[in-house]
Coordinates of all heavy atoms in Angstrom, one line a residue:
L428 N 179.5 65.1 42.0 CA 179.2 65.9 40.8 C 178.0 66.8 41.1 O 178.1 68.0 40.6 CB 178.9 64.9 39.7 CG 178.8 65.5 38.3 CD1 180.1 66.2 37.9 CD2 178.4 64.5 37.3
K429 N 177.1 66.4 41.9 CA 175.9 67.3 42.2 C 176.4 68.5 42.9 O 176.0 69.7 42.6 CB 174.9 66.5 43.0 CG 173.6 67.2 43.1 CD 172.6 66.2 43.8 CE 171.2 66.7 43.8 NZ 170.3 65.8 44.5
R430 N 177.3 68.3 43.9 CA 177.8 69.5 44.7 C 178.7 70.4 43.8 O 178.7 71.6 43.9 CB 178.6 69.0 45.9 CG 177.7 68.5 47.0 CD 178.5 68.1 48.2 NE 177.6 67.4 49.1 CZ 178.0 66.5 50.0 NH1 179.2 66.1 50.0 NH2 177.1 66.0 50.8
A431 N 179.5 69.7 42.9 CA 180.3 70.5 42.0 C 179.5 71.4 41.1 O 179.8 72.5 40.9 CB 181.2 69.5 41.2
L432 N 178.4 70.8 40.6 CA 177.5 71.6 39.7 C 176.9 72.8 40.5 O 176.8 73.9 40.0 CB 176.4 70.7 39.2 CG 176.7 69.9 38.0 CD1 175.6 68.9 37.7 CD2 177.1 70.7 36.8
F433 N 176.5 72.5 41.7 CA 176.0 73.6 42.6 C 177.0 74.7 42.8 O 176.7 75.9 42.6 CB 175.5 73.0 43.9 CG 175.1 74.0 44.9 CD1 173.8 74.5 44.8 CD2 175.9 74.4 45.9 CE1 173.3 75.5 45.7 CE2 175.4 75.3 46.9 CZ 174.2 75.9 46.8
L434 N 178.2 74.3 43.1 CA 179.3 75.3 43.3 C 179.6 76.1 42.0 O 179.8 77.3 42.1 CB 180.6 74.6 43.8 CG 180.6 74.2 45.3 CD1 181.8 73.4 45.6 CD2 180.5 75.4 46.2
L435 N 179.7 75.4 40.9 CA 180.0 76.1 39.7 C 178.8 77.1 39.3 O 179.1 78.2 38.9 CB 180.2 75.1 38.5 CG 180.6 75.7 37.2 CD1 182.0 76.4 37.3 CD2 180.6 74.7 36.1
E436 N 177.6 76.6 39.5 CA 176.4 77.5 39.1 C 176.4 78.7 40.0 O 176.1 79.8 39.5 CB 175.1 76.7 39.3 CG 173.9 77.5 39.0 CD 173.8 77.9 37.6 OE1 174.5 77.5 36.7 OE2 172.9 78.8 37.3
L437 N 176.7 78.6 41.3 CA 176.6 79.7 42.2 C 178.0 80.4 42.4 O 178.1 81.3 43.2 CB 176.0 79.3 43.5 CG 174.5 79.0 43.4 CD1 173.9 78.5 44.7 CD2 173.7 80.1 42.8
G438 N 179.0 79.9 41.7 CA 180.4 80.4 41.8 C 180.5 81.9 41.7 O 181.1 82.6 42.5
P439 N 179.8 82.5 40.6 CA 179.9 83.9 40.5 C 179.4 84.7 41.7 O 179.9 85.7 42.1 CB 179.1 84.3 39.3 CG 179.1 83.0 38.5 CD 179.1 81.9 39.5
V440 N 178.4 84.1 42.3 CA 177.8 84.8 43.5 C 178.7 84.6 44.7 O 179.0 85.6 45.4 CB 176.3 84.2 43.8 CG1 175.8 84.8 45.1 CG2 175.4 84.4 42.6
F441 N 179.1 83.3 45.0 CA 179.9 83.0 46.2 C 181.3 83.6 46.2 O 181.8 84.1 47.1 CB 179.9 81.5 46.4 CG 178.7 80.9 46.8 CD1 178.5 79.5 46.5 CD2 177.7 81.5 47.5 CE1 177.3 78.9 46.9 CE2 176.5 80.9 47.9 CZ 176.3 79.6 47.5
F442 N 181.9 83.4 45.0 CA 183.4 83.7 45.0 C 183.7 85.1 44.3 O 184.7 85.7 44.6 CB 184.1 82.6 44.2 CG 184.0 81.3 44.8 CD1 183.2 80.3 44.3 CD2 184.7 81.0 46.0 CE1 183.1 79.0 44.9 CE2 184.6 79.7 46.6 CZ 183.8 78.8 46.0
D443 N 182.8 85.5 43.4 CA 183.1 86.8 42.7 C 182.2 87.9 43.2 O 182.3 89.1 42.7 CB 183.0 86.6 41.2 CG 183.9 85.6 40.7 OD1 185.0 85.3 41.3 OD2 183.6 85.0 39.6
L444 N 181.3 87.6 44.1 CA 180.3 88.6 44.6 C 179.5 89.3 43.5 O 179.2 90.5 43.5 CB 181.0 89.6 45.5 CG 181.8 89.1 46.7 CD1 182.5 90.2 47.4 CD2 180.9 88.2 47.6
R445 N 179.2 88.5 42.4 CA 178.4 89.0 41.3 C 176.9 88.6 41.6 O 176.7 87.7 42.3 CB 178.8 88.4 40.0 CG 180.3 88.9 39.7 CD 180.8 88.2 38.4 NE 180.1 88.8 37.3 CZ 180.5 88.5 36.0 NH1 181.4 87.6 35.8 NH2 179.9 89.1 35.0
M446 N 176.0 89.4 41.1 CA 174.6 89.1 41.3 C 174.0 88.3 40.2 O 172.9 88.6 39.7 CB 173.9 90.4 41.5 CG 174.3 91.3 42.7 SD 174.4 90.4 44.2 CE 172.6 90.2 44.5
T447 N 174.7 87.3 39.7 CA 174.3 86.4 38.6 C 174.9 85.0 38.8 O 175.9 84.9 39.5 CB 174.6 87.0 37.2 OG1 174.0 86.2 36.2 CG2 176.1 87.0 37.0
T448 N 174.2 84.1 38.2 CA 174.7 82.7 38.3 C 175.5 82.4 37.0 O 175.4 83.1 36.0 CB 173.5 81.7 38.4 OG1 172.7 81.9 37.2 CG2 172.7 81.9 39.7
F449 N 176.2 81.3 37.0 CA 177.0 80.8 35.9 C 176.2 80.7 34.6 O 176.6 81.2 33.6 CB 177.7 79.5 36.2 CG 178.5 79.0 35.2 CD1 179.8 79.4 35.1 CD2 178.1 78.0 34.3 CE1 180.7 78.9 34.1 CE2 178.9 77.5 33.3 CZ 180.2 78.0 33.2
S450 N 175.0 80.2 34.7 CA 174.1 80.0 33.6 C 173.7 81.3 32.9 O 173.4 81.3 31.7 CB 172.8 79.2 34.0 OG 173.2 77.9 34.4
N451 N 173.7 82.3 33.7 CA 173.2 83.6 33.2 C 174.4 84.5 32.7 O 174.1 85.6 32.2 CB 172.4 84.4 34.2 CG 171.1 83.7 34.4 OD1 170.4 83.3 33.5 ND2 170.7 83.6 35.7
L452 N 175.6 84.0 32.7 CA 176.7 84.7 32.2 C 176.8 84.6 30.7 O 176.2 83.6 30.1 CB 178.0 84.2 32.8 CG 178.3 84.4 34.3 CD1 179.5 83.6 34.7 CD2 178.4 85.8 34.6
S453 N 177.4 85.5 30.0 CA 177.6 85.4 28.6 C 178.6 84.3 28.3 O 179.3 83.9 29.3 CB 178.1 86.7 28.0 OG 179.4 86.9 28.5
L454 N 178.7 83.7 27.1 CA 179.6 82.7 26.8 C 181.0 83.0 27.1 O 181.7 82.3 27.8 CB 179.4 82.2 25.4 CG 180.3 81.0 25.0 CD1 180.1 79.8 25.9 CD2 180.0 80.7 23.5
P455 N 181.5 84.2 26.7 CA 182.9 84.6 27.1 C 183.1 84.7 28.6 O 184.2 84.3 29.1 CB 183.1 85.9 26.4 CG 182.1 86.0 25.3 CD 180.9 85.2 25.8
D456 N 182.1 85.2 29.3 CA 182.2 85.3 30.8 C 182.2 83.9 31.4 O 182.9 83.7 32.4 CB 181.1 86.1 31.3 CG 181.3 87.6 31.1 OD1 182.5 88.0 30.7 OD2 180.3 88.4 31.2
R457 N 181.4 83.0 30.9 CA 181.4 81.6 31.4 C 182.8 81.0 31.2 O 183.3 80.3 32.1 CB 180.4 80.7 30.7 CG 179.0 81.0 31.1 CD 178.1 80.0 30.4 NE 176.8 80.6 30.2 CZ 175.8 80.2 29.4 NH1 176.0 79.1 28.7 NH2 174.7 80.8 29.3
E458 N 183.4 81.1 30.0 CA 184.7 80.6 29.7 C 185.7 81.2 30.7 O 186.6 80.5 31.2 CB 185.1 80.8 28.3 CG 184.2 80.0 27.3 CD 184.5 80.3 25.9 OE1 185.2 81.3 25.6 OE2 183.9 79.6 25.0
A459 N 185.7 82.5 30.8 CA 186.7 83.2 31.7 C 186.5 82.7 33.2 O 187.5 82.5 33.9 CB 186.5 84.7 31.6
H460 N 185.2 82.6 33.6 CA 184.9 82.1 35.0 C 185.5 80.7 35.2 O 186.1 80.5 36.2 CB 183.4 82.2 35.2 CG 183.1 81.8 36.6 ND1 183.3 82.6 37.7 CD2 182.5 80.7 37.1 CE1 182.9 82.0 38.8 NE2 182.4 80.8 38.5
F461 N 185.2 79.8 34.2 CA 185.7 78.4 34.4 C 187.2 78.4 34.4 O 187.8 77.7 35.1 CB 185.1 77.5 33.3 CG 185.4 76.1 33.5 CD1 184.7 75.4 34.5 CD2 186.4 75.5 32.9 CE1 185.0 74.0 34.7 CE2 186.7 74.1 33.1 CZ 186.0 73.4 34.0
R462 N 187.8 79.2 33.5 CA 189.3 79.2 33.4 C 189.9 79.7 34.7 O 190.9 79.2 35.2 CB 189.7 80.1 32.2 CG 191.2 80.0 31.9 CD 191.6 80.8 30.6 NE 190.7 80.5 29.5 CZ 189.8 81.3 28.9 NH1 189.6 82.5 29.4 NH2 189.1 80.9 27.9
S463 N 189.2 80.7 35.3 CA 189.7 81.2 36.6 C 189.7 80.1 37.7 O 190.5 80.1 38.6 CB 188.9 82.4 37.0 OG 187.6 82.1 37.5
W464 N 188.7 79.2 37.6 CA 188.7 78.1 38.5 C 189.9 77.2 38.3 O 190.4 76.6 39.3 CB 187.4 77.3 38.4 CG 186.2 78.0 39.1 CD1 185.8 79.3 39.0 CD2 185.3 77.4 40.0 NE1 184.7 79.5 39.7 CE2 184.4 78.4 40.4 CE3 185.1 76.1 40.5 CZ2 183.3 78.1 41.3 CZ3 184.1 75.8 41.3 CH2 183.2 76.8 41.7
S465 N 190.3 77.0 37.1 CA 191.4 76.1 36.8 C 192.7 76.6 37.4 O 193.6 75.9 37.8 CB 191.6 75.9 35.3 OG 190.5 75.3 34.8
L466 N 192.8 78.0 37.5 CA 194.0 78.6 38.0 C 193.9 79.2 39.4 O 194.8 79.9 39.9 CB 194.4 79.8 37.0 CG 194.5 79.4 35.5 CD1 194.7 80.6 34.7 CD2 195.7 78.4 35.4
S467 N 192.8 78.9 40.0 CA 192.5 79.5 41.3 C 193.5 79.1 42.4 O 194.1 78.0 42.4 CB 191.1 79.0 41.8 OG 190.8 79.4 43.1
G468 N 193.6 80.0 43.4 CA 194.4 79.7 44.6 C 193.7 78.8 45.6 O 194.3 78.3 46.5
T469 N 192.4 78.6 45.3 CA 191.6 77.7 46.2 C 191.5 76.3 45.6 O 191.1 76.1 44.5 CB 190.1 78.3 46.2 OG1 190.1 79.7 46.6 CG2 189.3 77.5 47.2
E470 N 192.0 75.4 46.4 CA 192.1 74.0 46.0 C 190.7 73.5 45.6 O 190.6 72.7 44.5 CB 192.7 73.1 47.1 CG 192.8 71.7 46.6 CD 193.4 70.8 47.7 OE1 193.6 71.3 48.9 OE2 193.7 69.6 47.4
L471 N 189.7 73.8 46.3 CA 188.3 73.3 45.9 C 187.9 73.7 44.5 O 187.4 72.8 43.8 CB 187.3 73.8 46.9 CG 185.8 73.5 46.6 CD1 185.6 72.0 46.7 CD2 184.9 74.3 47.6
R472 N 188.2 74.9 44.1 CA 187.8 75.3 42.8 C 188.7 74.6 41.7 O 188.1 74.3 40.7 CB 187.9 76.9 42.7 CG 186.8 77.5 43.5 CD 187.0 79.0 43.7 NE 187.4 79.8 42.6 CZ 187.4 81.1 42.7 NH1 186.9 81.8 43.7 NH2 187.9 81.8 41.7
R473 N 189.9 74.4 42.0 CA 190.8 73.7 41.0 C 190.3 72.3 40.9 O 190.3 71.7 39.8 CB 192.3 73.8 41.5 CG 192.9 75.1 41.3 CD 194.4 75.0 41.5 NE 194.9 74.2 42.6 CZ 195.1 74.7 43.8 NH1 194.9 76.0 44.1 NH2 195.5 73.9 44.8
V474 N 190.0 71.6 42.0 CA 189.5 70.2 41.9 C 188.2 70.1 41.2 O 188.1 69.2 40.3 CB 189.4 69.7 43.4 CG1 188.6 68.3 43.4 CG2 190.7 69.5 44.0
V475 N 187.3 71.0 41.4 CA 186.0 71.0 40.7 C 186.3 71.2 39.2 O 185.7 70.5 38.3 CB 185.0 72.1 41.2 CG1 183.9 72.3 40.3 CG2 184.6 71.7 42.6
A476 N 187.1 72.2 38.8 CA 187.4 72.4 37.4 C 188.1 71.2 36.7 O 187.7 70.8 35.6 CB 188.3 73.6 37.2
S477 N 189.0 70.6 37.4 CA 189.7 69.4 36.9 C 188.7 68.2 36.7 O 188.8 67.5 35.7 CB 190.8 69.0 37.9 OG 191.4 67.9 37.4
A478 N 187.8 68.0 37.7 CA 186.9 66.9 37.6 C 185.9 67.1 36.4 O 185.7 66.2 35.7 CB 186.1 66.8 38.9
F479 N 185.4 68.4 36.2 CA 184.6 68.6 35.1 C 185.3 68.4 33.8 O 184.8 67.8 32.8 CB 184.0 70.0 35.1 CG 182.8 70.2 35.9 CD1 182.7 71.0 37.0 CD2 181.6 69.4 35.6 CE1 181.6 71.1 37.8 CE2 180.5 69.5 36.4 CZ 180.5 70.4 37.5
R480 N 186.6 68.9 33.7 CA 187.3 68.8 32.5 C 187.6 67.3 32.1 O 187.4 66.9 31.0 CB 188.7 69.5 32.6 CG 189.4 69.8 31.3 CD 190.6 70.7 31.5 NE 191.4 70.6 32.7 CZ 191.3 71.4 33.8 NH1 190.4 72.4 33.7 NH2 192.0 71.2 34.8
R481 N 187.9 66.5 33.1 CA 188.1 65.1 32.9 C 186.9 64.4 32.5 O 186.9 63.5 31.6 CB 188.7 64.4 34.1 CG 190.2 64.8 34.3 CD 190.7 64.2 35.6 NE 192.1 64.7 35.8 CZ 192.8 64.4 36.9 NH1 192.3 63.6 37.8 NH2 194.0 64.9 37.0
F482 N 185.8 64.7 33.1 CA 184.5 64.0 32.8 C 184.1 64.4 31.4 O 183.7 63.5 30.6 CB 183.4 64.5 33.8 CG 182.1 64.0 33.5 CD1 181.7 62.6 33.6 CD2 181.1 64.8 33.0 CE1 180.5 62.2 33.3 CE2 179.8 64.4 32.6 CZ 179.5 63.0 32.8
L483 N 184.2 65.7 31.0 CA 183.7 66.1 29.7 C 184.6 65.5 28.6 O 184.1 65.1 27.5 CB 183.7 67.6 29.6 CG 182.6 68.2 30.4 CD1 182.7 69.7 30.4 CD2 181.2 67.8 30.0
Q484 N 185.9 65.4 28.9 CA 186.8 64.7 27.9 C 186.5 63.3 27.7 O 186.5 62.7 26.6 CB 188.3 64.9 28.3 CG 188.8 66.3 28.2 CD 190.2 66.5 28.8 OE1 190.6 65.7 29.6 NE2 190.8 67.6 28.4
L485 N 186.2 62.6 28.8 CA 185.8 61.2 28.7 C 184.5 61.0 27.9 O 184.4 60.2 27.0 CB 185.5 60.6 30.1 CG 184.9 59.2 30.2 CD1 186.0 58.2 29.7 CD2 184.5 58.9 31.6
V486 N 183.5 61.8 28.2 CA 182.2 61.8 27.5 C 182.4 62.1 26.0 O 181.9 61.4 25.1 CB 181.2 62.7 28.1 CG1 179.9 62.8 27.2 CG2 180.8 62.2 29.5
F487 N 183.2 63.1 25.7 CA 183.4 63.5 24.3 C 184.2 62.6 23.5 O 183.9 62.3 22.3 CB 184.0 64.9 24.3 CG 184.2 65.5 22.9 CD1 183.1 66.0 22.2 CD2 185.4 65.4 22.2 CE1 183.2 66.5 21.0 CE2 185.5 66.0 20.9 CZ 184.4 66.5 20.3
Y488 N 185.3 62.0 24.0 CA 186.3 61.2 23.3 C 186.0 59.7 23.4 O 186.7 58.9 22.8 CB 187.7 61.5 23.7 CG 188.1 62.9 23.3 CD1 188.5 63.8 24.2 CD2 188.2 63.3 21.9 CE1 188.9 65.1 23.9 CE2 188.5 64.5 21.6 CZ 188.9 65.4 22.5 OH 189.3 66.7 22.1
D489 N 185.0 59.3 24.2 CA 184.7 57.9 24.3 C 184.1 57.2 23.1 O 184.5 56.1 22.7 CB 183.8 57.7 25.5 CG 183.6 56.2 25.8 OD1 184.6 55.5 25.9 OD2 182.5 55.8 25.9
P490 N 183.2 57.9 22.4 CA 182.6 57.3 21.2 C 183.6 57.1 20.1 O 184.4 58.0 19.8 CB 181.5 58.2 20.8 CG 181.3 59.2 21.9 CD 182.6 59.2 22.7
P491 N 183.7 55.9 19.5 CA 184.6 55.7 18.3 C 184.5 56.7 17.2 O 185.4 56.9 16.5 CB 184.2 54.3 17.9 CG 183.7 53.6 19.1 CD 182.9 54.7 19.8
S492 N 183.3 57.3 17.0 CA 183.1 58.3 16.0 C 184.0 59.5 16.1 O 184.2 60.2 15.2 CB 181.6 58.7 15.9 OG 181.2 59.2 17.1
S493 N 184.4 59.8 17.3 CA 185.3 61.0 17.6 C 186.8 60.7 17.4 O 187.6 61.6 17.3 CB 185.0 61.5 19.0 OG 185.6 60.6 20.0
W494 N 187.1 59.4 17.3 CA 188.6 59.0 17.3 C 189.3 59.6 16.0 O 190.4 60.0 16.1 CB 188.7 57.5 17.4 CG 188.2 57.0 18.7 CD1 187.9 57.7 19.8 CD2 188.1 55.6 19.0 NE1 187.5 56.8 20.8 CE2 187.6 55.5 20.3 CE3 188.2 54.4 18.3 CZ2 187.3 54.4 21.0 CZ3 187.9 53.2 18.9 CH2 187.5 53.2 20.3
A495 N 188.7 59.5 14.9 CA 189.4 60.0 13.6 C 189.7 61.4 13.7 O 190.8 61.8 13.3 CB 188.5 59.7 12.4
G496 N 188.9 62.2 14.3 CA 189.2 63.7 14.5 C 190.4 64.0 15.3 O 191.0 65.1 15.1
I497 N 190.8 63.1 16.2 CA 192.0 63.3 17.0 C 193.2 62.5 16.6 O 194.2 62.4 17.3 CB 191.6 63.2 18.5 CG1 191.1 61.8 18.8 CG2 190.7 64.3 19.0 CD1 191.0 61.5 20.3
G498 N 193.0 61.7 15.5 CA 194.1 60.9 15.0 C 194.3 59.6 15.8 O 195.4 59.1 15.8
Y499 N 193.3 59.1 16.5 CA 193.4 57.9 17.3 C 192.8 56.7 16.5 O 191.6 56.8 16.1 CB 192.6 58.1 18.6 CG 192.6 56.9 19.5 CD1 193.8 56.3 20.0 CD2 191.4 56.4 20.0 CE1 193.8 55.2 20.9 CE2 191.4 55.3 20.8 CZ 192.5 54.7 21.3 OH 192.5 53.6 22.1
D500 N 193.5 55.7 16.3 CA 193.1 54.5 15.5 C 192.3 53.5 16.3 O 191.8 52.6 15.8 CB 194.3 53.8 14.9 CG 195.0 54.7 13.9 OD1 194.3 55.5 13.2 OD2 196.2 54.5 13.8
G501 N 192.2 53.7 17.6 CA 191.5 52.8 18.5 C 192.4 52.0 19.3 O 193.6 52.0 19.1
P502 N 191.9 51.2 20.2 CA 192.7 50.3 21.1 C 193.5 49.3 20.3 O 193.1 48.9 19.2 CB 191.7 49.7 22.0 CG 190.4 49.9 21.4 CD 190.5 51.0 20.5
L503 N 194.7 48.9 20.8 CA 195.5 47.9 20.1 C 194.8 46.6 20.0 O 194.9 45.9 19.0 CB 196.8 47.8 20.8 CG 197.8 49.0 20.7 CD1 199.0 48.8 21.6 CD2 198.1 49.3 19.3
I504 N 194.1 46.2 21.1 CA 193.3 45.0 21.1 C 191.9 45.3 20.9 O 191.3 46.0 21.7 CB 193.5 44.3 22.5 CG1 195.0 44.0 22.7 CG2 192.7 43.0 22.5 CD1 195.3 43.4 24.1
K505 N 191.4 44.8 19.8 CA 190.0 45.2 19.5 C 189.0 44.2 20.1 O 189.3 43.1 20.3 CB 189.8 45.1 18.0 CG 190.8 46.0 17.3 CD 190.1 47.1 16.6 CE 191.2 48.0 15.9 NZ 191.0 49.3 15.7

């Protein structure tokens, strides 16, 4: 995860030859940059994007307080 964060942060510099880091992009540019990683022809970038997406979904949807918003009643066995 540490390496993935490093790659994402410096992705605009390394892969797009931009003179700025991910953190310094505007919100729409960050979203477009991350989306481009999901569709990239480079396996490394797709793997990093997938790992972040899965991790963030786990963190966001794990608390029971978020279940009602997605229509999930909770596990069958309580």
Side-chain angles (χ1 to χ4, degrees):
L428 189 59
K429 192 175 189 178
R430 287 184 186 152
L432 281 171
F433 175 78
L434 284 174
L435 185 64
E436 178 64 15
L437 294 177
V440 177
F441 291 153
F442 299 107
D443 300 336
L444 304 177
R445 296 175 76 174
M446 299 307 291
T447 188
T448 59
F449 182 81
S450 297
N451 290 318
L452 294 173
S453 67
L454 182 57
D456 285 344
R457 284 184 208 167
E458 291 172 355
H460 182 75
F461 188 79
R462 192 174 306 109
S463 75
W464 278 50
S465 297
L466 305 172
S467 175
T469 306
E470 183 179 8
L471 174 65
R472 289 168 40 170
R473 287 192 316 268
V474 167
V475 167
S477 177
F479 275 119
R480 197 170 35 259
R481 289 177 184 179
F482 175 73
L483 292 173
Q484 287 172 345
L485 173 71
V486 170
F487 184 78
Y488 293 117
D489 186 52
S492 59
S493 70
W494 296 350
I497 59 172
Y499 177 59
D500 296 328
L503 293 175
I504 301 172
K505 305 246 182 209

